[in-house]
Every structure is written in structure tokens, then in C-alpha cells.
Amino acid sequence: MKAMGGINGYAISSYTKYPVACLAFINFATSFEMNQLRETMLGVAPCRDDVVAASDSAISENVYSRLEDGLITLMPSLNETSQIWTPGETLNKDLATDPNRPASQQKYHDQEDYQTGLDEMVRQIHEAITTLA
């Protein structure tokens, strides 16, 4: 399975009235301890070499090997990308709840049913993007 991945970053607006507080937050958020906590609690691959070296987890190794194998595609920085999430969330919730429906109401029985769901998701994404253009 291919997945979309993202990269997080922090920035300070040149218009902020509180540049020292902003810098303090960035220092806190990018600290060794916070990177360890994000890896442990959220499964986020740390971007700091010292956190990777101190970790017992193989998260970073797995993420980087999946990137090298072409199994993770980085999300583009386009406004249109935001139109993916609602149709994708709807389909994923529908797939996740389908086994809990009574057998007569289940939608996904075979590959064709899954493809129909994916095609509908693509249609919704395309419609949302073209509506914004």
C-alpha cells in the first residue's frame, strides 16, 4: 500500500507582537524531549539524529525505507490538497463501519465494491477541486 506523508515545520511571522514567546515555543516543540514524546505517543518519525540514535523504536528506519522504496509519497503543498480529506475520511469511515452493519446492509463484498467506493471518492475530490478553480 502507498501512503501520503507530510513534513511539519515551524515558522515565526514577521508581524508577530511576541517574537520571543514564539521562539520559546519553537525551542520547546523541537526539543529532544518533545521529539521523543511525539515519537512515543504519536508514532511520528523524529527529525533529530540524536533522538533517532537514542530510540528503541524502528519508526524512523521504517519511514525512510518506505520512502526509498516509493511507498510513501510526500503531500504536495497545494490548496487543492485540502479537498482530499473529507471524501477520504468519509470512505475510510464507511469501510471501517461496514463489517459492523447487518449483512444485508453491507456495501463492500468484493474488489468491485471497493473500486466503486474509490471511484466515488475520486469523483468527489475532482468535483471539489474543479469547483474551487
Side-chain angles (χ1 to χ4, degrees), residues 51-73:
V51 176
V52 173
S55 176
D56 294 334
S57 170
I59 290 173
S60 291
E61 183 180 321
N62 289 337
V63 167
Y64 293 118
S65 71
R66 289 180 58 81
L67 271 168
E68 288 173 3
D69 294 342
L71 298 175
I72 298 176
T73 302

Side-chain angles (χ1 to χ4, degrees), residues 12 14 47-48 57 79 93 118 121 127-128:
I12 299 174
S14 61
C47 59
R48 293 177 53 138
S57 170
N79 288 336
K93 283 182 181 178
L118 286 168
M121 181 185 78
E127 184 177 294

Side-chain angles (χ1 to χ4, degrees), residues 17-45:
K17 294 179 182 178
Y18 306 102
V20 175
C22 291
L23 185 57
F25 171 76
I26 289 174
N27 286 333
F28 165 75
T30 60
S31 69
F32 181 88
E33 294 79 13
M34 256 319 179
N35 270 260
Q36 274 188 320
L37 193 59
R38 286 172 46 97
E39 178 188 31
T40 303
M41 294 183 73
L42 303 174
V44 173

Side-chain angles (χ1 to χ4, degrees), residues 6 10 24 27-28 31 51 53 57 61 68 70 74 83 87 95-97 100 103-104 107 119 130-131:
Y10 298 99
N27 286 333
F28 165 75
S31 69
V51 176
S57 170
E61 183 180 321
E68 288 173 3
L74 293 179
Q83 302 306 312
L95 289 168
T97 57
N100 300 320
S104 63
K107 299 180 186 180
D119 290 343
T130 55
T131 301

